[in-house]
Amino acid sequence: MALRLARALRFAESAGVQNRLLLSLCTPAEAIAVKKPVDSVTVPGTEGTFTVTNNHSLIVSQLKAGVITVRDGQESKDYFLSDGFLFYNHPTDGSGCCTCEVSAVECVPTSALDKDRAAQVLSELMAAPKDTEWDRARAQLGAALVNQVIKAAE
């Protein structure tokens, strides 16, 4: 019963929307947007940054740490994501609305990033001992992620 109600609500939410991109932006902890009508989404793919709009070609892409920009009319919102995947599908109904599903490990608004704290974490990572292979990998991967946080916080 609850599943049918959820499906009905999702259909009702997008029923009045025509020829828009429906964005779902989710992490394991929360759903930031569920089938929200937007104009475009710009994401940091592993092969480079790209933008998807309604009627884009089908795509599945791995995402790297960086900023995702969601544009709706004159408004734009920026989020930092650690990594994830993008799934783009054509409409399954007659609405003309394609779906873009971004599944991220972590995703926060860029306004919530603290550049000073990220710089502090970076210095702690670099100062930590690197005796084992695990320590070296942790420092390298952590530094890459924290550098992207610092870049996004600017």
Side-chain angles (χ1 to χ4, degrees):
M1 177 69 175
L3 182 59
R4 278 188 248 146
L5 179 61
R7 285 183 184 157
L9 288 175
R10 270 189 255 144
F11 177 74
E13 178 181 302
S14 61
V17 178
Q18 294 287 324
N19 294 318
R20 298 284 307 273
L21 178 62
L22 300 178
L23 173 68
S24 294
L25 178 58
C26 302
T27 69
E30 68 177 320
I32 298 166
V34 178
K35 293 195 175 184
K36 176 183 178 188
V38 298
D39 290 332
S40 68
V41 179
T42 302
V43 295
T46 54
E47 299 296 321
T49 302
F50 63 95
T51 301
V52 294
T53 59
N54 200 39
N55 295 321
H56 191 280
S57 59
L58 295 174
I59 188 168
V60 174
S61 178
Q62 183 176 359
L63 305 177
K64 64 179 183 176
V67 176
I68 177 172
T69 303
V70 178
R71 289 185 186 82
D72 188 17
Q74 297 299 319
E75 287 185 37
S76 96
K77 292 185 181 181
D78 293 334
Y79 298 91
F80 177 80
L81 64 106
S82 59
D83 62 348
F85 288 91
L86 176 136
F87 304 94
Y88 186 91
N89 292 300
H90 286 163
T92 56
D93 57 6
S95 70
C97 296
C98 296
T99 58
C100 176
E101 299 170 3
V102 176
S103 178
V105 174
E106 292 186 52
C107 185
V108 295
T110 54
S111 59
L113 297 177
D114 184 354
K115 184 178 178 181
D116 296 331
R117 176 67 182 129
Q120 180 184 359
V121 169
L122 180 61
S123 64
E124 290 170 4
L125 277 170
M126 300 319 276
K130 296 170 188 66
D131 300 330
T132 65
E133 187 67 30
W134 166 251
D135 292 336
R136 288 187 290 277
R138 181 175 171 249
Q140 182 181 8
L141 293 172
L145 179 62
V146 172
N147 280 325
Q148 289 297 323
V149 170
I150 292 170
K151 184 178 175 185
E154 294 178 340

